[in-house]
Amino acid sequence: MNEQPLWSGEKLNLAVGSQILLKDADLCIGTGERVALIGRNGCGKSTFLRIVAGTEKPASGTVSVARNCRIACMPQDPGDTAGKTVGSTVKEGLAFFEDLLARYDRLSPASSEAVRLEHMLTLHQAWNTGNKLETMLDKLALDPERPLAELSGGEMRRVLLARTLAAEPDLLLLDEPTNHLDVDTVSWMENILSSCRGACLFVTHDRFFLDRVATRIVELSNGAFFSCAGSYADFLEAKEAHIRAEDAETERREKFLRLEIDWVRRSPKARLRRNLGRLRRFEELSAVESPRREGDVELILPAPPRLGNKVVELKNVSFSIGGRQLIKDFSCEFPAGSKTGVVGPNGIGKTTLLKLITGSLVPDAGTISVADTVRFNYADQSRIVLDPEKTAAEAVAGDCGSVQIDGAWISVRSYLKRLLFDDGRINSKVKYLSGGEKARLLLAAVLKQGGNFLILDEPTNDLDIPTLRVLEESLRRWSAPVIVVSHDRYFLDRVCDRILSFDPREGIALWNGDYDYFASKQTERRAAAAPEKKPSAPPPVRGRPGKPAGKLSYREQRELEGMEDAVLRAEEAVSALEKEFTAPDFYTTRAKDAPLMQAKLASARAELDRLYARWEELEKKKE
């Protein structure tokens, strides 16, 4: 890594009870880097973010932070919300700039400190913190007067994100920033993070977000970091190669030990010098631990009861709440075996549709037909099915020590161990589990119920990437219908064969195909619907169109006649280059081309200015 280090940790160690989170771990974060931190739920990712933020210390090891490095962290928990509004919370992120302004006002403008502060305020465009606050609130569509206590989970994430981004830190820390955010907000965040000046360390399980933002992926596993520059695919390839190399080394060591053990058993004479070295090498290699491997989650989806051809059908369904119409004249059929992804902004009515289908809500108009053979299995978004005072085992099996899967009884401990809960976590109360562990526990509680129509409302929130991959494969193999509400584009693309889109302007529409097909069609539709950019008006013509050329030479007359077309071509060239720069993935996929593209854009703009000046010059001469 060639970047100047902002933060580094060497030989870091930390354990919580018997669980080792960090073991002689080393990591360095450089300026301009965007580092994605991934790993199993409960492996210590959030704890490590707190170490980087300085709110928690490792048991041992060295932490180094660059001089004047400002670190800001977006937490998962908003903390105490009593009496706070959206505006006052976001404004907390501007405290640093307000302090700079107050210090600047107290200094002489000629002092060196005033010059330094002036440079900082200009660099961050922070002379008016009120404008910065308004800009941030507008970008995330936040009402500054709303109390925090009234916000939904997604709205609260946007507020915490706005507060953190407003600080414009040198090192930005984000813990699951995409949770509960809709696709449009996540795309906006991707663009912001891809173009921000500072470095970023973020924990995420959103693989689309990871690929578009991260310049380096770091996995925390068994207390150590494994780092790889590039995309998620690059990381998987490098990790596989690393595992193969470790396995080959382990095999060579074990082969050597097998060959040496017979010699050791014969008790060679230790007084011989050659035997001393051989014994020492045997003891050293015997003490080396084999690499620890994390197990894979094993999800059990009970075989679904048989369904007929007709499963669920909605005809001209409408539903309103509080005077706001969420669903209007909607018709749709969910056949057996279909995998339907539901997408759209938060609060638009996706969860309402699920409740209408399951009968929790009654439509204002229209009919919903559900076959007699349908047995819904609904994973609720709010996780209310988990009692925080119960242990993990009790939350799944109640007072019974077993769960029934496909007619067979297995112990709850065996069932939970398949989802990577060890004995300690199985006996822990739900309130002490991490967000990811709660998500896995909810899956365990829901999936064991069986059914033949599975409905998952935001199932990917808090699940780690390995668990997501197992869930994806399980759902793809399941023969019964599935409805998934999710903002995880990668998950939708892997699981779903059709997409139900909620759009505030166009209503609800069904698209047959995976998410990638849906996204491409949406892009085409928006491009077709966008108003065509009209060419800029030419400078005022002082002569009449049909007037003789006057003092213009023949060559100049021909130049003037072609000037309008030349200007239009130059404007189109400038517009095309500007469009490339504003592409959402430009700074992710083509960052290295930015200097050359800037030069081309500057040249194109200069040529356009020259043509306008020449046009005006020829018109004046003609007049």
Side-chain angles (χ1 to χ4, degrees):
M1 186 185 66
N2 297 323
E3 296 87 353
Q4 179 182 354
L6 282 176
W7 185 96
S8 64
E10 296 181 0
K11 301 295 182 183
L12 301 180
N13 289 279
L14 183 65
V16 177
S18 60
Q19 185 182 12
I20 297 175
L21 301 182
L22 297 171
K23 183 179 181 181
D24 290 332
D26 300 328
L27 187 66
C28 182
I29 302 168
T31 55
E33 278 201 299
R34 299 188 295 275
V35 181
L37 181 62
I38 64 174
R40 291 281 190 193
N41 292 130
C43 72
K45 300 186 298 295
S46 296
T47 302
F48 179 69
L49 281 190
R50 292 194 293 271
I51 290 175
V52 177
T55 58
E56 189 164 331
K57 295 184 180 299
S60 64
T62 303
V63 172
S64 302
V65 184
R67 185 180 179 185
N68 296 326
C69 175
R70 290 189 300 115
I71 300 176
C73 181
M74 174 183 166
Q76 289 181 320
D77 184 4
D80 184 18
T81 60
K84 291 185 176 181
T85 64
V86 169
S88 66
T89 302
V90 177
K91 190 178 180 181
E92 292 172 1
L94 297 170
F96 173 74
F97 299 118
E98 291 177 342
D99 179 61
L100 288 186
L101 284 167
R103 288 162 55 193
Y104 180 81
D105 289 340
R106 294 193 296 267
L107 295 171
S108 167
S111 68
S112 59
E113 179 65 7
V115 172
R116 188 184 73 83
L117 294 180
E118 182 179 354
H119 172 74
M120 285 284 292
L121 291 166
T122 303
L123 177 66
H124 293 280
Q125 299 178 355
W127 290 103
N128 190 327
T129 55
N131 285 346
K132 288 181 75 68
L133 177 62
E134 290 179 8
T135 300
M136 187 59 64
L137 292 170
D138 288 342
K139 282 183 177 179
L140 285 175
L142 298 172
D143 179 1
E145 303 302 325
R146 285 191 67 186
L148 289 189
E150 296 180 0
L151 301 184
S152 66
E155 290 169 328
M156 182 64 75
R157 300 294 291 175
R158 288 203 299 272
V159 172
L160 296 177
L161 174 64
R163 182 181 68 183
T164 309
L165 291 176
E168 297 185 24
D170 301 301
L171 177 55
L172 176 64
L173 306 179
L174 301 174
D175 197 355
E176 295 289 0
T178 62
N179 272 7
H180 307 291
L181 296 182
D182 57 60
V183 172
D184 288 339
T185 305
V186 172
S187 297
W188 175 85
M189 193 193 314
E190 290 169 353
N191 296 335
I192 290 293
L193 295 180
S194 297
S195 59
C196 68
R197 288 189 294 265
C200 181
L201 172 65
F202 58 95
V203 173
T204 186
H205 300 135
D206 186 328
R207 287 153 289 180
F208 259 55
F209 181 82
L210 184 152
D211 265 340
R212 295 187 178 186
V213 175
T215 59
R216 181 160 61 111
I217 299 172
V218 175
E219 182 185 40
L220 177 57
S221 175
N222 293 317
F225 294 110
F226 176 77
S227 179
C228 174
S231 66
Y232 181 63
D234 295 330
F235 165 78
L236 289 178
E237 184 177 350
K239 184 67 184 294
E240 184 179 355
H242 177 71
I243 290 174
R244 285 200 302 268
E246 280 189 336
D247 289 344
E249 178 62 30
T250 300
E251 185 177 350
R252 285 194 295 269
R253 179 174 56 83
E254 290 177 348
K255 183 178 180 180
F256 170 81
L257 292 175
R258 285 195 301 270
L259 293 173
E260 292 291 277
I261 195 166
D262 288 337
W263 176 79
V264 173
R265 285 172 177 168
R266 291 197 298 268
S267 302
K269 295 180 180 180
R271 64 178 179 273
L272 297 178
R273 182 174 299 177
R274 65 176 183 273
N275 290 348
L276 282 174
R278 192 171 174 182
L279 278 170
R280 189 180 302 113
R281 186 182 179 207
F282 175 83
E283 290 167 355
E284 289 174 353
L285 290 178
S286 298
V288 174
E289 293 182 4
S290 297
R292 288 184 293 168
R293 297 282 187 261
E294 292 179 331
D296 287 327
V297 170
E298 183 182 351
L299 290 178
I300 302 176
L301 277 171
R306 185 179 176 278
L307 282 169
N309 293 329
K310 187 175 181 181
V311 181
V312 174
E313 185 177 9
L314 285 72
K315 289 185 178 180
N316 304 117
V317 171
S318 297
F319 185 82
S320 301
I321 186 168
R324 179 187 172 204
Q325 188 163 49
L326 297 178
I327 299 172
K328 181 180 180 181
D329 294 331
F330 175 61
S331 298
C332 184
E333 186 176 351
F334 297 90
S338 61
K339 306 290 191 297
T340 307
V342 184
V343 299
N346 292 320
I348 200 170
K350 303 188 297 295
T351 301
T352 299
L353 176 65
L354 303 186
K355 292 181 178 181
L356 287 168
I357 291 173
T358 56
S360 299
L361 294 175
V362 179
D364 300 333
T367 59
I368 300 176
S369 302
V370 179
D372 294 337
T373 55
V374 170
R375 298 292 179 267
F376 289 113
N377 191 349
Y378 183 17
D380 188 85
Q381 182 185 33
S382 62
R383 315 294 202 242
I384 57 174
V385 294
L386 298 178
D387 186 341
E389 296 301 325
K390 288 185 176 181
T391 66
E394 292 169 342
V396 172
D399 295 331
C400 179
S402 303
V403 295
Q404 188 176 24
I405 305 292
D406 289 339
W409 289 90
I410 62 174
S411 71
V412 68
R413 286 182 174 277
S414 175
Y415 182 58
L416 289 178
K417 282 185 176 181
R418 294 183 182 188
L419 283 92
L420 304 186
F421 285 91
D422 58 27
D423 289 330
R425 307 308 277 174
I426 289 173
N427 293 322
S428 292
K429 289 188 176 181
V430 169
K431 63 182 178 182
Y432 297 128
L433 300 179
S434 68
E437 288 171 324
K438 290 177 183 176
R440 265 189 282 143
L441 192 64
L442 178 70
L443 276 179
V446 169
L447 297 182
K448 77 177 183 65
Q449 297 173 8
N452 54 14
F453 197 123
L454 186 59
I455 299 179
L456 304 174
D457 195 355
E458 296 289 3
T460 61
N461 285 344
D462 302 313
L463 286 180
D464 55 50
I465 291 176
T467 304
L468 283 173
R469 292 168 65 184
V470 173
L471 178 60
E472 288 163 1
E473 292 304 320
S474 298
L475 293 178
R476 283 161 61 92
R477 290 193 300 265
W478 208 49
S479 60
V482 177
I483 298 179
V484 179
V485 175
S486 180
H487 299 311
D488 189 325
R489 295 155 288 179
Y490 195 100
F491 182 87
L492 291 170
D493 203 45
R494 290 272 295 153
V495 171
C496 300
D497 52 27
R498 58 187 203 158
I499 301 295
L500 198 59
S501 168
F502 281 68
D503 189 282
R505 298 174 298 277
E506 300 175 2
I508 310 175
L510 181 66
W511 300 78
N512 289 311
D514 57 20
Y515 183 83
D516 187 54
Y517 173 80
F518 160 73
S520 66
K521 290 300 180 183
Q522 286 292 91
T523 302
E524 291 176 9
R525 291 183 65 186
R526 288 171 182 171
E532 185 178 351
K533 184 179 179 181
K534 296 181 179 179
S536 303
V541 179
R542 291 173 170 78
R544 291 177 297 184
K547 189 176 179 180
K551 296 181 181 180
L552 290 178
S553 67
Y554 175 78
R555 184 176 178 180
E556 289 173 331
Q557 175 65 24
R558 295 295 301 271
E559 184 183 1
L560 178 59
E561 290 172 357
M563 188 58 72
E564 184 172 353
D565 288 339
V567 167
L568 286 175
R569 287 195 298 271
E571 287 181 333
E572 289 171 357
V574 170
S575 178
L577 287 168
E578 289 175 339
K579 186 176 180 181
E580 288 190 58
F581 267 107
T582 56
D585 61 345
F586 178 81
Y587 285 98
T588 303
T589 61
R590 302 180 59 192
K592 62 179 183 299
D593 299 333
L596 178 60
M597 295 289 292
Q598 286 281 11
K600 286 184 177 180
L601 181 57
S603 176
R605 287 171 173 167
E607 175 63 11
L608 181 60
D609 292 340
R610 187 194 69 78
L611 288 172
Y612 273 131
R614 179 59 174 163
W615 193 350
E616 188 170 5
E617 178 187 350
L618 291 174
E619 287 292 346
K620 285 181 179 179
K621 189 173 182 180
K622 177 181 176 181
E623 185 180 6

